[in-house]
Amino acid sequence: MTAFLIKVLSSAVVIGIVTEVARRSVTYGGVIAALPLVSLLSLIWLVQQGQSKTEVTMFVKSVLYGLPATFFLVLILYILLNQGVSVFISVLLAGGCWWIFWTIQQQVGLFIGRL
């Protein structure tokens, strides 16, 4: 339980730092937010917990697999916000687009795997 609380608190600190930097400079905040902090923190926790090199490698591969849908989400979010759509609606629509893109990506992966 202590390890879990340390993970949660350290992750919260990272998010807090990013939002404080973004409050002072949206450019730097955005660049820091785009860093793979969650992936790297997760990787560190997996290694610390004793996961095998194979499991860690599969985790990194899965992160790569998720990048196209995440890029699509951020692109849609930017377009919607730039068009004046509210933040809440933009996040909902971009999240829905992410889910559709992710679903299509999985189906294409399954189809290619059968070839």
Side-chain angles (χ1 to χ4, degrees), residues 23-43:
R23 196 166 57 86
R24 290 171 175 75
S25 169
V26 292
T27 301
Y28 289 131
V31 169
I32 293 170
L35 293 172
L37 296 173
V38 172
S39 300
L40 293 175
L41 280 173
S42 300
L43 180 74

Side-chain angles (χ1 to χ4, degrees), residues 62-78:
S62 297
V63 169
L64 286 171
Y65 190 66
L67 286 177
T70 300
F71 175 79
F72 189 67
L73 176 141
V74 173
L75 177 64
I76 296 296
L77 189 57
Y78 171 75

Side-chain angles (χ1 to χ4, degrees), residues 14-110:
V14 169
I15 292 168
I17 289 170
V18 170
T19 57
E20 283 302 308
V21 170
R23 196 166 57 86
R24 290 171 175 75
S25 169
V26 292
T27 301
Y28 289 131
V31 169
I32 293 170
L35 293 172
L37 296 173
V38 172
S39 300
L40 293 175
L41 280 173
S42 300
L43 180 74
I44 290 166
W45 292 122
L46 288 171
V47 170
Q48 187 269 337
Q49 293 173 150
Q51 298 294 319
S52 71
K53 185 176 180 180
T54 302
E55 291 169 320
V56 171
T57 303
M58 289 302 297
F59 170 77
V60 172
K61 180 181 176 185
S62 297
V63 169
L64 286 171
Y65 190 66
L67 286 177
T70 300
F71 175 79
F72 189 67
L73 176 141
V74 173
L75 177 64
I76 296 296
L77 189 57
Y78 171 75
I79 291 168
L80 291 171
L81 290 171
N82 199 40
Q83 294 298 314
V85 179
S86 76
V87 174
F88 181 73
I89 299 298
S90 296
V91 169
L92 285 177
L93 291 172
C97 289
W98 174 88
W99 182 80
I100 291 167
F101 189 96
W102 174 250
T103 302
I104 292 168
Q105 182 180 329
Q106 285 180 309
Q107 294 304 312
V108 168
L110 290 172

